[in-house]
Every structure is written in structure tokens, then in C-alpha cells.
Amino acid sequence: MLIASRLLGGLCGLALLLPLAAPVQAQTAPPQPLDFSSLLANAQDLLLRMPDAQADGLFQALHAVSRQEQDRAALCRVLEPDGDRSLQGMSALAGRLSPESREVLANAIAEAVVIAMQNSTPAAWDRDAAEQALRANAVRAGLLHEGFSEGLVEGASSQARCQSLAWMLDVIAERPVEERVLLTRLLLAQGLAQLG
């Protein structure tokens, strides 16, 4: 279970950082300057102030990207034990994702960050309940998908790990929105802790 949590947490944390490393696209209007170092330093605070709708939007975007085989493989490569999770690694990852997936993630993350920056009220969430929900969803995934647990053991193949991750995201996607939001907050917190 620790490996599943680490993989999902890392994936969510990476998704949050992806637009920071994405190649700059030609734009018709000059972009508003964002202080990315400040955003990273305050990521946990932004996570707490992100409304539920935007937290679920982040999960939905990540799930949509993970359903594209080539993009899922690129995301999983970064989560390998020797994966490059530096800013340069994130930039390389952004370049490997399809333009559609980059746009889906960037839009969801931009909306979440902007609204969180405007929101002064932190969201209350129960970390223990989120961890319990994560364990319950791992059990669901194991019951639904033969081979799920094989991707969670130390030394599992990259392909098995990536498939288990995709199955876990599919299971979470079917849960009620309140549970998805709770899990998204937990996984983002874990992912940001791994990256910090």
C-alpha cells in the first residue's frame, strides 16, 4: 500500500508542477507573470485553500491524461525509482505528453492555483479518513483487477507498476466526489512532500 500511495502522491505532485516546466507556447497576448518559486514555496497553503471543485478538477484532468497510453507511460517513467523529478525532468516530461494532455493538465492546474490564491478560507480535510479511503480503494482495485497487487511490490516491473497506477486512478474516478476530493488533497500533499 505504501508503494501505491507513493506512486499516486508523486503523480499528483508532478501534475501540479508540470505547467511550471512546460515549454512556452506562442500566445496572442503576453502572459501575466507568475512567481513560480513563490507558488512552489506556498504549494501546501494553496492546496489547503483550493476549493473542492478545483481539487476534483485536478483529479479528473490527471485521470484523463492517465487514460492515454502514451501519456501514462511518460508519467510513469518519471515515477520510476531513478526517474528525473527535477525541473529539467518535468520539462522533458511536458515535452513527451501530447499537446491535448498538456493543455488539460495546465488548464486544471491554472484554475486551481488562481482560485486558491483568491480564496482565504482553508478547506478542512481529515488526513486519517483520506488514508483510510486510499487503503479501501486499493482493496477495491485489487478485487476488480487481477494483477493489481503485483504492481505494488518492491521490484515490480515498470509496466506492472504503471498498470496498477492506472487501475487505481480508474477506481478512484468512480468514487463519490467528496471522496475523490479527499483523496486528491492527500495525494497532492504526499506528492508535494516527495518533491520538496
Side-chain angles (χ1 to χ4, degrees):
M1 192 63 252
L2 177 61
I3 293 174
S5 176
R6 210 175 344 163
L7 285 173
L8 286 169
L11 190 54
C12 287
L14 292 174
L16 189 60
L17 293 178
L18 225 92
L20 306 181
V24 176
Q25 303 289 325
Q27 298 179 357
T28 56
Q32 294 296 328
L34 287 175
D35 181 356
F36 291 128
S37 61
S38 174
L39 284 178
L40 286 175
N42 296 308
Q44 290 290 347
D45 181 56
L46 289 174
L47 171 63
L48 290 175
R49 291 189 287 136
M50 183 186 345
D52 289 355
Q54 282 66 42
D56 191 47
L58 277 176
F59 174 81
Q60 296 297 342
L62 181 60
H63 183 242
V65 170
S66 77
R67 295 184 63 88
Q68 306 302 316
E69 191 172 332
Q70 177 181 338
D71 293 333
R72 180 176 63 235
L75 289 169
C76 288
R77 234 176 290 143
V78 173
L79 297 174
E80 288 297 314
D82 61 346
D84 184 1
R85 292 178 274 285
S86 67
L87 190 57
Q88 294 82 9
M90 295 301 94
S91 183
L93 169 60
R96 287 192 299 269
L97 292 178
S98 67
E100 297 82 13
S101 289
R102 276 195 307 268
E103 183 176 349
V104 164
L105 280 174
N107 288 342
I109 294 166
E111 179 182 345
V113 168
V114 168
I115 291 177
M117 289 173 72
Q118 297 169 351
N119 187 13
S120 62
T121 308
W125 67 285
D126 184 341
R127 187 179 192 98
D128 291 335
E131 289 172 350
Q132 184 176 13
L134 184 61
R135 286 189 295 274
N137 281 295
V139 170
R140 277 186 199 91
L143 292 172
L144 291 171
H145 302 287
E146 186 176 333
F148 171 77
S149 61
E150 294 163 13
L152 304 182
V153 297
E154 292 292 337
S157 72
S158 299
Q159 184 177 3
R161 246 191 320 274
C162 199
Q163 182 59 65
S164 293
L165 178 65
W167 284 332
M168 184 71 161
L169 290 173
D170 287 346
V171 166
I172 293 171
E174 297 297 320
R175 302 305 300 156
V177 67
E178 298 82 12
E179 187 174 334
R180 285 195 310 266
V181 167
L182 190 64
L183 288 165
T184 300
R185 290 187 192 285
L186 171 68
L187 297 173
L188 282 170
Q190 290 176 343
L192 290 170
Q194 289 176 30
L195 296 167

